[in-house]
Amino acid sequence: MSLVAGSYERFIWGFKLKTLKHSTETLTLSPIFSFPSHLSPIKSVAVAGSVAVSGGSDDTIKIYDLSTSSEVGSLNDPTATVTSLALYTPPSLSSFPRNLFSAYDDGNISLYDADPFVHLKTMKIHKKGVNDLSVHPSGKLALTVGRDSCLAMVNLVRGRRSFCCSLGKEASMVKFDCSGDKFFMVMDEKISVHEAEDAKLILELESKKKFLCIAPGMNGLVYGGGEDRNLTAWDTVSGKVAYCIEDAHSSRLKGIVVLSKIDGASEDELFLVASASSDGIIRVWDVRMANKNKSIPLAEVNTKSRLTCLAGSSVKSIKRPLADSSKSSKEEDEPTEDL
């Protein structure tokens, strides 16, 4: 399992979650790398298998190979600050990503072939900056929300926007659930749950303070955190809080990653959730302990920096070499049909 975090101080942080002494109850976050990879604050990170990417306000996307603990190239195609990144991995490719999708502060999004990293197309989706981007599990469409208070749907096969509607209020985040049947939108203190087919509102989940990060989980759960410093899981069927780790951090949460299981945990599978805070600390929790008054992190590490984002992969990394991506194509090709 891998975790990658970005920081305001331009540093990228990589960690491996490992067990100690063959015990699934004793975990540690072992450092992979740490260095100033951008010229300005890092805004977004994404991980798939052994591949990680980061984007910042220096209008650049950096690419990393976690199996060799190194940066392998950069993409200079971004037209503005990179606000959101997503790596898509089809089931046929196991843990190696097929495509990279990036969103920018000027309303554009870009599509890349991830093997090697070649620029396919850039599209204007919003009139103002894109706040967030989420790719459907099928890889055929994506949802975006922007500072123009609109929700847009993008056809990734044809490479064009297929739908756009005004929300009346700016949404900061949008995420598909694990099945792709629902999606979540965040507006300040509320998470709205919608049917993916027709965007019908199912229910609203509310917090006392603003959400800064959410992550879909299995069994109809969605995790949220932010200025209340809590790590909370909601049941999207009943609309009730399934469990809550209060004061998970001393400062606001800036990232959540749901990790399915650790290697070697076969029979006694641990359900793990990682959280990162602007206090610089990354923690890993067994969420089953939340209702047993044992909300003590299984592992934690202090980066001593102001973390801005967190991404991770629960898939065991495959040591597949990445091509040098320091030079990316500027050709405006149509995306392939197997997106």
Side-chain angles (χ1 to χ4, degrees):
M1 287 186 176
S2 305
L3 290 172
V4 175
S7 69
Y8 185 82
E9 291 84 0
R10 305 175 290 116
F11 269 74
I12 189 80
W13 302 84
F15 298 94
K16 280 283 188 182
L17 184 62
K18 298 181 179 179
T19 60
L20 294 179
K21 299 179 181 179
H22 305 287
S23 170
T24 58
E25 295 182 355
T26 307
L27 305 178
T28 182
L29 285 168
S30 301
I32 303 175
F33 53 69
S34 171
F35 56 89
S37 61
H38 286 264
L39 300 176
S40 53
I42 298 174
K43 298 288 186 178
S44 180
V45 290
V47 179
S50 60
V51 182
V53 290
S54 65
S57 51
D58 56 358
D59 304 355
T60 304
I61 298 173
K62 298 286 187 176
I63 308 167
Y64 315 90
D65 188 344
L66 300 182
S67 64
T68 59
S69 303
S70 62
E71 179 185 314
V72 296
S74 61
L75 302 173
N76 298 314
D77 304 292
T79 54
T81 295
V82 181
T83 56
S84 183
L85 293 168
L87 288 165
Y88 172 68
T89 305
S92 60
L93 291 183
S94 182
S95 64
F96 198 87
R98 176 67 180 84
N99 294 98
L100 166 66
F101 304 96
S102 55
Y104 311 127
D105 198 38
D106 60 358
N108 290 335
I109 71 167
S110 291
L111 288 68
Y112 295 86
D113 187 327
D115 188 19
F117 281 86
V118 176
H119 179 244
L120 298 177
K121 190 168 187 175
T122 294
M123 299 168 284
K124 184 70 172 180
I125 304 299
H126 292 270
K127 294 179 180 179
K128 297 182 179 181
V130 182
N131 288 333
D132 199 16
L133 163 78
S134 181
V135 179
H136 190 271
S138 68
K140 295 182 179 181
L141 60 92
L143 292 176
T144 62
V145 290
R147 290 191 287 109
D148 56 2
S149 301
C150 288
L151 167 71
M153 179 182 291
V154 184
N155 186 322
L156 298 177
V157 176
R158 295 182 179 273
R160 65 188 185 190
R161 189 180 72 179
S162 58
F163 173 80
C164 184
C165 70
S166 176
L167 301 172
K169 187 177 181 180
E170 181 179 342
S172 58
M173 287 171 277
V174 62
K175 303 290 181 188
F176 279 106
D177 71 351
C178 297
S179 66
D181 295 331
K182 301 175 183 176
F183 69 88
F184 313 108
M185 271 197 309
V186 174
M187 294 181 180
D188 296 330
E189 300 88 7
K190 290 184 179 181
I191 300 176
S192 58
V193 184
H194 301 259
E195 293 283 1
E197 185 176 359
D198 55 7
K200 179 183 177 182
L201 178 64
I202 302 174
L203 53 85
E204 290 185 331
L205 311 170
E206 192 167 356
S207 175
K208 294 181 179 179
K209 294 187 177 181
K210 186 177 181 180
F211 286 104
L212 299 176
C213 52
I214 63 169
M218 301 300 291
N219 302 320
L221 295 179
V222 60
Y223 298 81
E227 294 183 351
D228 63 358
R229 301 178 300 172
N230 299 336
L231 176 59
T232 308
W234 281 268
D235 185 334
T236 58
V237 176
S238 65
K240 297 181 180 179
V241 174
Y243 43 80
C244 177
I245 299 176
E246 296 184 356
D247 294 323
H249 290 268
S250 62
S251 188
R252 56 187 181 175
L253 273 66
K254 296 303 295 287
I256 298 174
V257 172
V258 179
L259 301 170
S260 59
K261 66 178 182 179
I262 59 174
D263 297 330
S266 57
E267 295 183 2
D268 186 23
E269 181 177 327
L270 290 174
F271 292 83
L272 305 178
V273 177
S275 59
S277 171
S278 55
D279 62 7
I281 296 177
I282 300 173
R283 287 175 173 157
V284 179
W285 312 86
D286 181 348
V287 297
R288 297 175 301 177
M289 298 294 102
N291 291 333
K292 299 179 181 180
N293 296 321
K294 297 180 180 179
S295 53
I296 299 174
L298 299 177
E300 74 172 56
V301 63
N302 190 352
T303 64
K304 297 182 180 179
S305 62
R306 290 172 289 176
L307 298 180
T308 57
C309 47
L310 180 71
S313 171
S314 58
V315 179
K316 186 177 181 180
S317 297
I318 293 179
K319 292 186 178 181
R320 176 177 175 180
L322 290 172
D324 187 350
S325 303
S326 58
K327 295 182 180 180
S328 59
S329 171
K330 286 282 186 178
E331 295 178 358
E332 296 292 319
D333 298 327
E334 288 290 331
T336 55
E337 287 294 327
D338 58 350
L339 280 175

